[in-house]
Amino acid sequence: MPENLHRKPEPAKRPALAGVLSLGQLLQHSPTPMAALIEPGLLPASGILFVGGEPKVGKSILVANLALALASGFSRAGFHVPAARRVLICQFELPAAQFARRLAPMRSPIGEAADSNLLIDIEAAGHLLSAPRGLDHFLRAIRTAKADVVVLDPLYSTHDQDENDTRAMAALCQTLLRLRDASGAALIVVHHVRKSVGRHEIGSAFRGSSALHAVGDSYLLLVRPSPHVPTVELRFQFRYAPATEPRLLALDSETLWFEACTSTPAPVQPRRKVETTDVERALAVSGSVRFNQLRETIMNQSECSRRTAQLAIQRACQEGSIVQDNGQYRLPLS
């Protein structure tokens, strides 16, 4: 494919600046800043937004929401989209048919508004940004799509570098900059976070954060306040904009759209400690059972975690309140 295929027209170039300029001259020759593609300041024009969070918290669904909002020009979930944009999604986790099934319910509330502007690279899997041929593939796809915004979901599928190696991550980040600069497109990058994240960490929560800080313009962290509350908290960090207060979103299970949550989640009651008597009661109901079944019964009766139920069974055995016999657990014989 010719390298200049579907290349976006380049803007008229201003005279090159050289030498020493006064402040007035510098301001006169500097271009007017472009409005962000997603306001307030979430995705600057030709910027890089990193989206992260724990596994299964909804990162990919939220990013798909943002892609549809950008492609349709509709403002959703408290994010303002000033104008429709062409968006290319490069996702590496779902087969094309399964990804289509995810997008189908999201399309219902907006109709055909995003159909011509949202494009999917169904050949993205297997191409690595860290390899020259892979970078060429993504550049060709972006130019073919004439994309204003590119989604990379997730980042770890686009490279073969050690994310604990600062030098390797710095090299990968330079590749992201080359992709952005050569294509002229803004990037939305889904990335995972470290296992232990502090309450006030945002940009520093991402793997390889010391390198990411050199290239990211904004960071969006998804956190689930409680496993029992169907909401996520969004935390923001911007390089060029003031801090934004965290925001709560709730997922509509039918449309797969996140929507602004108007009420604060109800506080979660602390789990009650499981006593030996709870283990005895579970066996009194079920009789002689294997470990997994006993643990499941205790979890259902006491609304406790798997770990808590397991520890309660071990404690009851040590105290002699229950007996393990040939892989089965039972109450002691009278």
Side-chain angles (χ1 to χ4, degrees):
M1 182 180 296
E3 183 65 19
N4 62 351
L5 179 63
H6 295 300
R7 184 188 297 273
K8 290 188 290 186
E10 296 182 359
K13 294 184 178 179
R14 293 172 176 266
L17 302 182
V20 178
L21 302 178
S22 69
L23 173 61
Q25 292 171 321
L26 178 64
L27 295 178
Q28 179 182 359
H29 289 85
S30 296
T32 303
M34 295 180 62
L37 308 183
I38 304 177
E39 296 284 6
L42 184 64
L43 181 62
S46 298
I48 301 179
L49 163 65
F50 286 98
V51 179
E54 295 291 336
K56 308 301 181 184
V57 75
K59 302 184 295 296
S60 294
I61 291 179
L62 178 62
V63 165
N65 287 177
L66 293 177
L68 281 161
L70 281 164
S72 64
F74 291 171
S75 298
R76 306 278 304 201
F79 295 112
H80 176 57
V81 177
R85 305 287 179 176
R86 291 182 67 82
V87 182
L88 174 66
I89 297 180
C90 303
Q91 67 87 32
F92 307 87
E93 295 192 320
L94 297 177
Q98 191 173 346
F99 188 60
R101 288 195 294 271
R102 171 177 287 183
L103 294 178
M106 297 183 194
R107 180 178 181 270
S108 297
I110 62 174
E112 300 178 357
D115 285 9
S116 60
N117 281 336
L118 186 65
L119 302 105
I120 298 92
D121 182 2
I122 61 174
E123 297 181 348
H127 293 283
L128 301 179
L129 281 173
S130 52
R133 291 183 62 182
L135 180 59
D136 287 343
H137 166 84
F138 291 112
L139 282 172
R140 285 195 299 270
I142 295 169
R143 289 166 180 164
T144 299
K146 301 180 182 178
D148 302 300
V149 181
V150 180
V151 173
L152 299 174
D153 181 15
L155 179 62
Y156 70 77
S157 294
T158 70
H159 70 90
D160 55 2
Q161 305 299 303
D162 181 0
E163 293 185 350
N164 294 312
D165 185 327
T166 301
R167 181 174 296 180
M169 286 301 291
L172 176 64
C173 288
Q174 289 303 310
T175 303
L176 288 176
L177 290 176
R178 286 198 294 272
L179 180 67
R180 180 202 65 182
D181 294 343
S183 65
L187 306 182
I188 299 178
V189 183
V190 179
H191 192 33
H192 58 283
V193 298
R194 295 182 288 103
K195 291 183 178 179
S196 178
V197 177
R199 177 66 179 84
H200 300 289
E201 288 186 284
I202 302 176
S204 59
F206 290 76
R207 290 283 298 272
S209 59
S210 58
L212 299 185
H213 280 162
V215 301
D217 296 288
S218 49
Y219 303 86
L220 173 57
L221 186 65
L222 282 73
V223 179
R224 195 172 295 283
S226 166
H228 300 288
V229 178
T231 60
V232 294
E233 181 182 80
L234 305 188
R235 301 174 187 170
F236 306 90
Q237 182 177 327
F238 303 133
R239 178 183 291 189
Y240 303 113
T244 299
E245 289 297 317
R247 182 181 306 173
L248 286 176
L249 298 181
L251 180 65
D252 186 321
S253 59
E254 292 187 2
T255 65
L256 294 184
W257 277 92
F258 278 105
E259 301 292 350
C261 187
T262 57
S263 60
T264 302
V268 178
Q269 297 298 325
R271 289 173 173 170
R272 179 174 62 86
K273 179 180 178 181
V274 178
E275 305 290 349
T276 299
T277 52
D278 296 313
V279 181
E280 295 173 346
R281 186 173 70 252
L283 280 178
V285 172
S286 56
S288 179
V289 295
R290 301 190 70 84
F291 178 82
N292 287 346
Q293 184 178 349
L294 175 58
R295 182 180 60 188
E296 190 72 22
T297 302
I298 295 171
M299 290 170 60
N300 292 335
Q301 289 185 353
S302 303
E303 297 184 353
C304 68
S305 69
R306 182 187 298 248
R307 175 68 174 167
T308 299
Q310 179 176 322
L311 292 175
I313 295 171
Q314 294 175 353
R315 187 168 57 250
C317 283
Q318 293 170 356
E319 296 174 357
S321 300
I322 64 174
V323 176
Q324 182 183 9
D325 185 11
N326 292 325
Q328 300 278 329
Y329 289 82
R330 59 174 174 80
L331 295 172
L333 298 176
S334 301

